């Protein structure tokens, strides 16, 4: 028998895209274990509900490749990008440790070979982990320079046959303008991919957005800082902005 009091899942297999800043100290660099614990607790809740979860992490709280790319006279662009990829692996390691301490079985898969700390990403291996209800943390971007972690998230969502991409942000969703700069900005609860293109709204970078649009993978942009929002998202409750084909 099922527990009728538990909300029913709308999305069974989910890719959660988190920026590096989500794991960091507000306005500072580094990894905040308190912030990481908060995320881990929300993840545990949805995993216990039966969600098959993959997480793509960024590395901006530690290092952004762009900050070094601007000094191409000292560090070339590909090297700066690889430095950023290594930062995402550090975040993935921290998140894995905190999740495991909370009783959530995880696997850290990377697109760069760091065999002493993580498994190399192989699609079938990742799918097997998801089938076994392990949280799959995906770090190292795609392993290619010039590609953002947003694009990595979109590509992995397609490869792993995810039902949706949850893009965790610090705002409630998509607005007509930056709500921090214009308090009268209009909030959009739902948008089509076509509307996002027409209105030039920033959802994800162009390549990531194009991949989700072409493969019909919806994107939900939501505020992960509000407790319970990940649970609300996977059960289909109104939270954030849903971008889909129709």
């Amino acid at each position: 028998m099922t527990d009728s009091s538990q909300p029913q899942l709308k999305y069974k297999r989910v890719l959660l895209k988190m920026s590096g800043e989500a794991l960091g100290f507000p306005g500072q660099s580094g990894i905040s274990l308190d912030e990481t614990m908060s995320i881990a607790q929300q993840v545990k809740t949805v995993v216990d509900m039966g969600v098959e979860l993959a997480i793509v992490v960024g590395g901006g709280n530690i290092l952004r490749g762009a900050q070094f790319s601007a000094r191409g006279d000292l560090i070339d662009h590909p090297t700066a990008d690889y430095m950023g990829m290594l930062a995402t692996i550090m975040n993935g390691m921290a998140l894995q440790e905190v999740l495991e301490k909370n009783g959530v079985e995880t696997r850290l898969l990377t697109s760069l070979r760091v065999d002493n700390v993580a498994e190399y990403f192989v699609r079938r291996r990742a799918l097997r982990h998801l089938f076994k209800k392990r949280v799959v943390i995906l770090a190292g971007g795609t392993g290619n320079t010039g590609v953002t972690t947003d694009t990595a998230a979109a590509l992995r969502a397609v490869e792993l046959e995810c039902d949706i991409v949850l893009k965790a942000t610090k705002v409630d969703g998509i607005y007509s303008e930056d709500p921090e700069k214009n308090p009268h900005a209009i909030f959009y609860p739902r948008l089509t991919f076509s509307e996002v293109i027409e209105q030039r709204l920033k959802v994800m970078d162009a390549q990531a957005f194009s991949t989700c649009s072409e493969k019909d993978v919806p994107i939900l942009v939501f505020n992960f800082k509000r407790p319970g929002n990940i649970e609300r998202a996977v059960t289909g409750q109104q939270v954030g902005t849903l971008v889909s084909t129709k």
Side-chain angles (χ1 to χ4, degrees), residues 6 12 47 49 69 73 98 117 124 148 150 160 166 195 200 218 229:
Q6 180 169 292
K12 177 71 173 178
V47 169
M49 294 168 62
S69 295
D73 57 321
V98 176
V117 297
R124 287 181 178 271
T148 68
D150 271 354
L160 300 180
L166 302 183
E195 288 172 333
R200 298 181 180 179
N229 262 4

mmCIF file of all heavy atoms in Angstrom, residues 6 12 47 49 69 73 98 117 124 148 150 160 166 195 200 218 229:
data_model
loop_
_atom_site.group_PDB
_atom_site.id
_atom_site.type_symbol
_atom_site.label_atom_id
_atom_site.label_comp_id
_atom_site.label_asym_id
_atom_site.label_seq_id
_atom_site.Cartn_x
_atom_site.Cartn_y
_atom_site.Cartn_z
ATOM 1 N N GLN A 6 1.381 11.232 1.309
ATOM 2 C CA GLN A 6 2.572 11.739 0.649
ATOM 3 C C GLN A 6 2.223 12.270 -0.727
ATOM 4 O O GLN A 6 1.549 11.602 -1.507
ATOM 5 C CB GLN A 6 3.618 10.633 0.522
ATOM 6 C CG GLN A 6 4.904 11.082 -0.156
ATOM 7 C CD GLN A 6 6.005 10.051 -0.039
ATOM 8 O OE1 GLN A 6 6.513 9.800 1.034
ATOM 9 N NE2 GLN A 6 6.370 9.434 -1.149
ATOM 10 N N LYS A 12 9.642 11.964 -12.142
ATOM 11 C CA LYS A 12 10.297 10.809 -11.521
ATOM 12 C C LYS A 12 11.819 10.931 -11.575
ATOM 13 O O LYS A 12 12.511 10.634 -10.602
ATOM 14 C CB LYS A 12 9.855 9.534 -12.253
ATOM 15 C CG LYS A 12 10.506 8.251 -11.755
ATOM 16 C CD LYS A 12 10.007 7.842 -10.394
ATOM 17 C CE LYS A 12 10.538 6.474 -10.006
ATOM 18 N NZ LYS A 12 10.111 6.060 -8.670
ATOM 19 N N VAL A 47 14.555 12.438 -2.418
ATOM 20 C CA VAL A 47 15.044 11.079 -2.696
ATOM 21 C C VAL A 47 14.216 10.052 -1.930
ATOM 22 O O VAL A 47 13.858 8.992 -2.451
ATOM 23 C CB VAL A 47 16.547 10.957 -2.339
ATOM 24 C CG1 VAL A 47 16.998 9.500 -2.369
ATOM 25 C CG2 VAL A 47 17.381 11.774 -3.316
ATOM 26 N N MET A 49 11.223 10.305 -1.293
ATOM 27 C CA MET A 49 9.930 10.234 -1.966
ATOM 28 C C MET A 49 9.976 9.355 -3.210
ATOM 29 O O MET A 49 8.947 9.058 -3.795
ATOM 30 C CB MET A 49 9.462 11.645 -2.354
ATOM 31 C CG MET A 49 9.146 12.552 -1.174
ATOM 32 S SD MET A 49 8.938 14.291 -1.669
ATOM 33 C CE MET A 49 7.529 14.170 -2.770
ATOM 34 N N SER A 69 40.404 34.249 -17.774
ATOM 35 C CA SER A 69 40.390 34.446 -19.225
ATOM 36 C C SER A 69 40.609 35.903 -19.589
ATOM 37 O O SER A 69 41.137 36.225 -20.650
ATOM 38 C CB SER A 69 39.048 33.952 -19.801
ATOM 39 O OG SER A 69 38.913 32.565 -19.630
ATOM 40 N N ASP A 73 46.946 37.253 -21.324
ATOM 41 C CA ASP A 73 48.385 37.417 -21.466
ATOM 42 C C ASP A 73 49.151 36.560 -20.469
ATOM 43 O O ASP A 73 50.346 36.297 -20.629
ATOM 44 C CB ASP A 73 48.772 38.890 -21.293
ATOM 45 C CG ASP A 73 48.321 39.452 -19.943
ATOM 46 O OD1 ASP A 73 47.215 39.103 -19.494
ATOM 47 O OD2 ASP A 73 49.077 40.251 -19.354
ATOM 48 N N VAL A 98 28.546 15.443 2.441
ATOM 49 C CA VAL A 98 27.449 15.881 3.301
ATOM 50 C C VAL A 98 26.197 15.037 3.054
ATOM 51 O O VAL A 98 25.477 14.674 3.994
ATOM 52 C CB VAL A 98 27.166 17.382 3.102
ATOM 53 C CG1 VAL A 98 25.959 17.820 3.914
ATOM 54 C CG2 VAL A 98 28.386 18.206 3.506
ATOM 55 N N VAL A 117 39.220 10.060 -6.632
ATOM 56 C CA VAL A 117 38.132 10.673 -5.875
ATOM 57 C C VAL A 117 36.764 10.510 -6.531
ATOM 58 O O VAL A 117 35.741 10.755 -5.882
ATOM 59 C CB VAL A 117 38.390 12.177 -5.635
ATOM 60 C CG1 VAL A 117 39.632 12.375 -4.791
ATOM 61 C CG2 VAL A 117 38.502 12.941 -6.942
ATOM 62 N N ARG A 124 25.880 4.816 -19.371
ATOM 63 C CA ARG A 124 25.227 3.618 -18.854
ATOM 64 C C ARG A 124 25.487 3.436 -17.353
ATOM 65 O O ARG A 124 24.626 2.957 -16.622
ATOM 66 C CB ARG A 124 25.693 2.384 -19.631
ATOM 67 C CG ARG A 124 25.118 2.306 -21.039
ATOM 68 C CD ARG A 124 25.587 1.052 -21.755
ATOM 69 N NE ARG A 124 24.999 0.947 -23.083
ATOM 70 C CZ ARG A 124 23.828 0.352 -23.339
ATOM 71 N NH1 ARG A 124 23.122 -0.166 -22.354
ATOM 72 N NH2 ARG A 124 23.367 0.289 -24.579
ATOM 73 N N THR A 148 29.664 25.915 -20.769
ATOM 74 C CA THR A 148 29.246 26.245 -19.409
ATOM 75 C C THR A 148 28.641 25.041 -18.707
ATOM 76 O O THR A 148 28.273 24.046 -19.332
ATOM 77 C CB THR A 148 28.202 27.370 -19.427
ATOM 78 O OG1 THR A 148 26.988 26.856 -20.014
ATOM 79 C CG2 THR A 148 28.682 28.575 -20.219
ATOM 80 N N ASP A 150 25.753 25.188 -17.375
ATOM 81 C CA ASP A 150 24.356 25.166 -17.826
ATOM 82 C C ASP A 150 24.211 24.224 -19.020
ATOM 83 O O ASP A 150 23.283 23.409 -19.091
ATOM 84 C CB ASP A 150 23.893 26.568 -18.232
ATOM 85 C CG ASP A 150 23.319 27.367 -17.077
ATOM 86 O OD1 ASP A 150 23.162 26.796 -15.971
ATOM 87 O OD2 ASP A 150 23.017 28.557 -17.273
ATOM 88 N N LEU A 160 20.523 11.325 -19.793
ATOM 89 C CA LEU A 160 20.014 10.501 -18.701
ATOM 90 C C LEU A 160 18.496 10.401 -18.706
ATOM 91 O O LEU A 160 17.901 9.893 -17.766
ATOM 92 C CB LEU A 160 20.512 11.052 -17.359
ATOM 93 C CG LEU A 160 22.044 11.101 -17.208
ATOM 94 C CD1 LEU A 160 22.430 11.673 -15.847
ATOM 95 C CD2 LEU A 160 22.654 9.720 -17.402
ATOM 96 N N LEU A 166 15.657 21.209 -13.197
ATOM 97 C CA LEU A 166 15.350 22.182 -12.151
ATOM 98 C C LEU A 166 16.553 23.100 -12.007
ATOM 99 O O LEU A 166 17.626 22.655 -11.577
ATOM 100 C CB LEU A 166 15.070 21.490 -10.814
ATOM 101 C CG LEU A 166 13.933 20.465 -10.764
ATOM 102 C CD1 LEU A 166 13.760 19.955 -9.337
ATOM 103 C CD2 LEU A 166 12.628 21.069 -11.270
ATOM 104 N N GLU A 195 8.422 31.980 -26.400
ATOM 105 C CA GLU A 195 8.253 33.267 -25.714
ATOM 106 C C GLU A 195 9.565 33.734 -25.091
ATOM 107 O O GLU A 195 9.871 34.932 -25.090
ATOM 108 C CB GLU A 195 7.166 33.137 -24.641
ATOM 109 C CG GLU A 195 5.765 33.017 -25.209
ATOM 110 C CD GLU A 195 4.727 32.688 -24.166
ATOM 111 O OE1 GLU A 195 5.085 32.065 -23.137
ATOM 112 O OE2 GLU A 195 3.538 33.030 -24.373
ATOM 113 N N ARG A 200 13.697 37.581 -25.277
ATOM 114 C CA ARG A 200 15.124 37.599 -24.938
ATOM 115 C C ARG A 200 15.337 37.513 -23.430
ATOM 116 O O ARG A 200 16.137 38.248 -22.841
ATOM 117 C CB ARG A 200 15.796 38.850 -25.501
ATOM 118 C CG ARG A 200 15.743 38.921 -27.027
ATOM 119 C CD ARG A 200 16.441 40.143 -27.546
ATOM 120 N NE ARG A 200 16.398 40.208 -29.014
ATOM 121 C CZ ARG A 200 16.919 41.175 -29.750
ATOM 122 N NH1 ARG A 200 17.534 42.198 -29.144
ATOM 123 N NH2 ARG A 200 16.851 41.153 -31.056
ATOM 124 N N PRO A 218 11.533 20.217 -20.329
ATOM 125 C CA PRO A 218 11.138 21.473 -19.676
ATOM 126 C C PRO A 218 12.179 21.925 -18.657
ATOM 127 O O PRO A 218 12.952 21.120 -18.116
ATOM 128 C CB PRO A 218 9.811 21.130 -18.996
ATOM 129 C CG PRO A 218 9.840 19.642 -18.826
ATOM 130 C CD PRO A 218 10.625 19.111 -19.991
ATOM 131 N N ASN A 229 10.998 23.957 -1.473
ATOM 132 C CA ASN A 229 10.721 24.254 -2.879
ATOM 133 C C ASN A 229 11.120 23.120 -3.818
ATOM 134 O O ASN A 229 10.487 22.927 -4.860
ATOM 135 C CB ASN A 229 11.405 25.552 -3.312
ATOM 136 C CG ASN A 229 10.446 26.736 -3.285
ATOM 137 O OD1 ASN A 229 9.292 26.585 -2.875
ATOM 138 N ND2 ASN A 229 10.917 27.895 -3.695
#
